[in-house]
Amino acid sequence: MSASVSEFAFELELCARLEGRREGIVARQLGASVADPGGRILDVVRVEPSPEFDERAAIASEAIPDAAIAADVGTGRARYWKDAFDCHPDRARRAMERACEIGFFERELRNGRDYVRQTARYPDWYDRIVGIENKPDLERPGDLEAQLRTDVSLALVDEIVLATESYVTRAHLHRIPDEVGVWRVHHDPDASSLEIEVVREPTRLSVDRPGIEPLESHPGRTEIDVVDADAKARARRRLAERAYGKGWRTYDFPDCRACRPDDSSGATLPYCAWKGRVVDARSECGPSCGGYDPRPSDSESAASDADVDLEAERDRRTPWVAEPEGRRRRQSGLDQFG
């Protein structure tokens, strides 16, 4: 079986490498559009923390709803929740409930009405945001050029980088915007980590200015939307929050004896011995795979896979905090009613 690297394996191994070489929040598969939600998905996002990062980490391990952050709710006097939101009531209700659930809001009942206040001030916790587009094989570029031009013209992230395994020629560089950085990732199957060669440094984008978001293309013209600086700032905050809450360990381990947890990179990845690489259990594994060997549910190997704790690993390897102090105080407070 070929040991060629799939885009999924490339993405996970790159995330593990980025996480291991510097501090910050690494996440993958996040929306990076403003006018057209879901119109652009970034493969990998790296959020560099500001000096206020610890204050954010102390609030909650989950993403805080943007509507709750934007609501007119402070840490002082509690407000009736409906008066604090400037959005659709259904969205406001969902944001309020979620903010209470994760500990960003605390709630009190007055005359049958919910009043809320913040448990902590929302800090300015993130600094530079880097978007990374993964394209292991530049001979199969797909919509790569259009995607990167969108990233540059919108300028939602501070820097955009193309990561590839291919040898990068001058012709390749001419086909992508000058502002895009280029990394060549060297993958050695016998090595425990990837090596990143910087072919071209990225140029800092104008995140504080209005951006242009291409929408639909037609023969001879392209529909666009001008995204003002305030809308971009809100979108950047949502992106950073989503990265904080989601991370990049959003994969499963196949129920197959050919697959085992591999922590040689420092992060635990689903490695398939039959394919000779990391695999995506959701799309590559199952009875249709020629190497599929279902693992009995009561086997010892199944038990060892179940012991893989990706949340604990993220807590151990990154500045993200799985169980912040604020949450532990709230949980311990419930003991008196036990």
Side-chain angles (χ1 to χ4, degrees):
M1 184 68 187
S2 171
S4 61
V5 177
S6 69
E7 290 201 19
F8 178 80
F10 182 89
E11 186 165 292
L12 262 57
E13 291 168 354
L14 179 59
C15 285
R17 181 70 177 93
L18 293 174
E19 180 181 86
R21 76 173 190 169
R22 65 183 73 186
E23 288 196 352
I25 296 298
V26 179
R28 64 187 188 89
Q29 298 298 312
L30 297 181
S33 301
V34 181
D36 178 23
R40 175 71 174 109
I41 304 296
L42 286 173
D43 291 332
V44 176
V45 172
R46 183 166 59 82
V47 183
E48 296 184 359
S50 80
E52 296 184 43
F53 179 86
D54 288 346
E55 296 175 34
R56 169 63 185 88
I59 297 173
S61 60
E62 303 89 346
I64 301 173
D66 191 67
I69 298 171
D72 189 13
V73 177
T75 57
R77 183 172 58 89
R79 294 199 61 191
Y80 177 45
W81 73 273
K82 286 187 177 180
D83 293 340
F85 287 84
D86 183 20
C87 60
H88 190 281
D90 290 344
R91 183 180 176 222
R93 167 62 81 174
R94 289 193 300 270
M96 184 273 289
E97 294 286 357
R98 180 59 175 162
C100 291
E101 179 183 349
I102 65 176
F104 182 54
F105 283 178
E106 58 184 5
R107 170 168 36 193
E108 59 185 73
L109 196 63
R110 300 180 187 173
N111 299 320
R113 287 183 164 189
D114 285 322
Y115 283 70
V116 293
R117 65 163 60 88
Q118 287 183 9
T119 58
R121 177 189 65 86
Y122 184 78
D124 183 14
W125 65 269
Y126 55 91
D127 192 358
R128 186 172 57 163
I129 303 177
V130 180
I132 302 167
E133 179 67 17
N134 297 327
K135 192 60 64 175
D137 185 0
L138 290 181
E139 299 309 310
R140 296 185 292 175
D143 296 330
L144 177 63
E145 185 175 350
Q147 291 169 336
L148 294 176
R149 291 194 183 282
T150 294
D151 297 332
V152 170
S153 64
L154 178 58
L156 184 63
V157 296
D158 296 272
E159 295 176 358
I160 187 73
V161 171
L162 167 65
T164 182
E165 277 197 317
S166 296
Y167 176 74
V168 182
T169 67
R170 189 168 298 177
H172 289 139
L173 294 177
H174 286 166
R175 285 198 294 268
I176 63 175
D178 293 339
E179 296 88 346
V180 176
V182 179
W183 293 346
R184 189 180 181 201
V185 178
H186 298 275
H187 183 271
D188 184 352
D190 298 324
S192 61
S193 64
L194 305 179
E195 292 300 324
I196 298 175
E197 173 192 355
V198 178
V199 177
R200 185 170 76 189
E201 293 282 2
T203 299
R204 194 72 175 253
L205 302 177
S206 301
V207 296
D208 296 327
R209 298 179 181 177
I212 303 296
E213 182 174 345
L215 300 177
E216 293 187 23
S217 295
H218 306 279
R221 66 184 177 89
T222 299
E223 295 181 17
I224 65 168
D225 193 274
V226 178
V227 181
D228 65 38
D230 289 341
K232 282 174 56 173
R234 293 192 297 270
R236 281 171 57 81
R237 184 175 65 196
R238 288 194 298 270
L239 181 62
E241 274 297 322
R242 187 78 172 114
Y244 187 89
K246 183 180 181 182
W248 61 271
R249 292 172 171 83
T250 56
Y251 47 86
D252 298 322
F253 286 83
D255 183 21
C256 173
R257 278 189 278 219
C259 190
R260 59 177 173 78
D262 179 10
D263 61 0
S264 61
S265 66
T268 307
L269 307 179
Y271 180 85
C272 174
W274 189 76
K275 286 187 170 67
R277 58 173 172 80
V278 171
V279 291
D280 183 357
R282 299 175 188 176
S283 63
E284 297 184 86
C285 302
S288 62
C289 173
Y292 181 63
D293 185 8
R295 179 185 292 123
S297 59
D298 58 349
S299 71
E300 292 182 3
S301 58
S304 65
D305 283 6
D307 290 339
V308 175
D309 189 338
L310 297 179
E311 184 176 271
E313 182 175 274
R314 186 187 183 198
D315 187 36
R316 185 174 64 252
R317 281 175 52 91
T318 76
W320 175 84
V321 178
E323 291 288 344
E325 289 295 326
R327 171 182 286 184
R328 280 200 286 267
R329 284 198 298 272
R330 288 191 298 277
Q331 290 177 335
S332 63
L334 296 175
D335 294 343
Q336 61 184 307
F337 304 108

